Amino acid sequence: MSKISEGLERAFASQGFAEPSVEDLRDAAGVSLRTLYKYTPSRAEMVLAALENRHQRYTTRVFDNLPKEPEKALDAFLSRIGEWMETETSHGCLFHAAVAADPGSLPLRQLLEHHKYEVAKRAAAATGRFGAETELLVIIEGLTQTWPLRGEAAVKAAKRLSHALRSPSS
């Protein structure tokens, strides 16, 4: 299943959600059509499997092994998000793209909400900014949406904004 999920994630990330045919998805997963449908019996299930794989890879890459000191952890995970955007998805968040491609899908919306909840929770835990999950998520979302336009300048701006969260006036 992990091989299938990884291949599906790569295919959807590079081609979007509407373009790849089932044969393209089968090829990306590196399995037979029968095996693909055994583990992911519909295109909707293929998208969910790809996004679940994406969630695990993203949270691991962004949040694992951060520095213990909150300010250093903050800078580190924001830099890692910039690196993720540069190497994995320079055009924006794959979760938002999936929901935009199928806005009526409750499972997709739930997966998007779960992903963003986990990101905000882990960001707050890493930085000691408990109670500021929404603010951190707004900054992270701004970074991922601004990256295609501003690149590294978006990372620097996100760091400035995030550091301002610790001030008593915020």
Side-chain angles (χ1 to χ4, degrees), residues 11-161:
F12 289 127
S14 66
Q15 300 176 43
F17 292 97
E19 185 178 324
S21 67
V22 174
E23 291 76 20
D24 293 334
L25 296 172
R26 177 204 61 211
D27 292 346
V31 296
S32 70
L33 196 55
R34 181 178 182 170
T35 301
L36 179 62
Y37 276 119
K38 175 182 175 187
Y39 288 97
T40 55
S42 68
R43 188 177 190 93
E45 290 291 325
M46 291 176 200
V47 171
L48 290 172
L51 291 175
E52 287 167 2
N53 189 74
R54 181 71 152 210
H55 171 75
Q56 290 303 318
R57 283 192 334 104
Y58 179 85
T59 56
T60 297
R61 183 159 164 192
V62 170
F63 294 109
D64 280 9
N65 302 311
L66 287 171
K68 297 289 182 212
E69 201 270 297
E71 299 307 307
K72 289 181 181 176
L74 175 68
D75 286 342
F77 82 70
L78 290 171
S79 291
R80 291 176 185 182
I81 291 170
E83 292 163 6
W84 174 272
M85 295 303 296
E86 184 175 15
T87 60
E88 299 284 338
T89 183
S90 62
H91 53 273
C93 176
L94 196 62
F95 290 85
H96 284 294
V99 171
D102 188 3
S105 170
L106 182 60
L108 275 179
R109 293 190 73 75
Q110 289 173 331
L111 189 56
L112 168 68
E113 288 175 21
H114 171 74
H115 172 69
K116 299 304 178 179
Y117 171 81
E118 286 293 318
V119 167
K121 184 176 84 170
R122 291 193 69 177
T127 62
R129 287 170 168 81
F130 298 101
E133 289 85 354
T134 299
E135 290 85 349
L136 288 165
L137 185 59
V138 166
I139 291 167
I140 292 166
E141 288 295 289
L143 169 55
T144 60
Q145 294 305 310
T146 307
W147 174 264
L149 302 171
R150 299 285 188 249
E152 189 58 33
V155 174
K156 291 176 183 173
K159 288 178 181 180
R160 286 192 305 275
L161 291 168

